[in-house]
Amino acid sequence: MAKKVVILGAGYAGLVCALELNKLATSQDAEIVLVNKHDYHQLITQLHEPAVGAKKQEDITVSLNSVLGSKPIKFIKDTVVSINKEQQSVELEHSTIAYDYLVVALGSETEFFGIPGLKEYSFTMKSVNQANRIREHIEKCFENYSKEKRDSMLTFVVGGAGFSGIELVGELADKLPELTAKYNVPKDKVKVFSVEAAPSIMPGFDPELVDFAKQSLEQRGVKFSIGTPVVQVEPGKVHLKGGDIIETDTMIWTGGVRGVQQVIDAGFETEPRGRAKVDEHMRALGHKNVWIIGDACFVLTPEGRPYPPTAQISTQMGANAAVNIYATMKHIKLEKFDPHLYGAVASLGRKEAVANLSPKFKPKGWVAYRIKDASKLRYLSTIGALFKK
């Protein structure tokens, strides 16, 4: 009798897991059920583009029905409420579903680090819908400036200078001049701040690439506050350590991730930020039939550092989970999660990027931008969505 495999979340990890398991298992082996709250797959690594209006929603989403096609994967559009490990069931908003094997790939939530007012008075960028809200808000700021003439309306603060923060700042630096022309706003009134608590931007990138990125963004008017934590946010103001205050109507927070509440509430073992601890086969500790993958889990590199929450790690986790679910069904040896790291590419806007690919290959500028574009196309090809929407 076929085992029921329920996969929660159709992000990078969950979708790849479903597609790879479908390749391995027959319908006699497994009944695959994919649950997602939207009927589309989001290219989360591209969210900075619709957030400023550089791309439309349809440019960074793919219909799940078009990807799944006639494959024997049942898709349920619903929201996960809770997981009951003892009863081996998942409560959704509109139904309850039982499982033999469970894959939790629900992504992550934003970490606000307990900073007063940060959650209440900042935008976050974890989904297409949130990116759309940012875009609409920015447009409104420009549209209403001619009536209200408040400088804080044209001051934009991005908290966190990792991947997401720097890519968003780059797109902002490109898009804002267009908006000044569209709404007849003086260019010198527009300010973009990148605020980072760490001593450097873009952790993990070589210093020469960091310098190139910083110079490129500064040339377009971005002001950096490095080594300067945000200590409080209130309506119209961002307070920095040291006493500086930035008056702004727009605070966008990209500074950290934590585990999803459903994993915490279910009682899986987690690290302090709520990400699930897993074994070398990506199974939740103490559970032989539950895999927790993608940003929802916490995995250390051989050097003892956490793997970053990136798409390339998530997709490899999804593939590994599929192999190990099939191996469990067939009572054969499981595969240890041992990812291949392809390097990192961060876009800077205006068709520029920096790429940390190997000790001898660190392209920057237009070449790196084309590499990032190629990685997106390669991923779409992997999930069979290169020519689908």
Side-chain angles (χ1 to χ4, degrees), residues 12 49 51 112 143 161 171 234 259 321 371:
Y12 292 106
E49 295 175 322
F112 296 101
E143 185 180 333
E171 292 296 334
E234 56 182 326
I371 291 172

Side-chain angles (χ1 to χ4, degrees), residues 174-245:
D174 279 0
K175 188 67 177 180
L176 295 184
E178 293 180 29
L179 293 175
T180 60
K182 179 178 178 180
Y183 293 102
N184 196 27
V185 169
K187 286 185 179 181
D188 62 350
K189 290 290 185 182
V190 179
K191 296 180 176 63
V192 179
F193 290 90
S194 173
V195 179
E196 172 57 53
S200 175
I201 67 172
M202 304 173 69
F205 280 83
D206 271 27
E208 65 185 271
L209 297 179
V210 172
D211 290 343
F212 177 88
K214 191 166 181 285
Q215 184 177 0
S216 170
L217 295 170
E218 285 177 334
Q219 286 173 351
R220 285 175 277 158
V222 176
K223 300 179 187 300
F224 287 92
S225 292
I226 311 300
T228 313
V230 173
V231 295
Q232 183 184 354
V233 180
E234 56 182 326
K237 293 181 180 179
V238 174
H239 297 259
L240 305 180
K241 188 175 182 180
D244 286 344
I245 298 174

Side-chain angles (χ1 to χ4, degrees), residues 48 125 157-173 192-196 201-203 217 222 224 252-256 346-348:
H48 53 283
M125 197 175 65
V157 180
V158 177
F163 264 88
S164 300
I166 288 299
E167 293 190 320
L168 178 58
V169 162
E171 292 296 334
L172 275 171
V192 179
F193 290 90
S194 173
V195 179
E196 172 57 53
I201 67 172
M202 304 173 69
L217 295 170
V222 176
F224 287 92
I252 306 170
W253 181 248
T254 68
S347 68
L348 305 173

Side-chain angles (χ1 to χ4, degrees), residues 8 251 309 349:
L8 306 178
M251 170 61 169

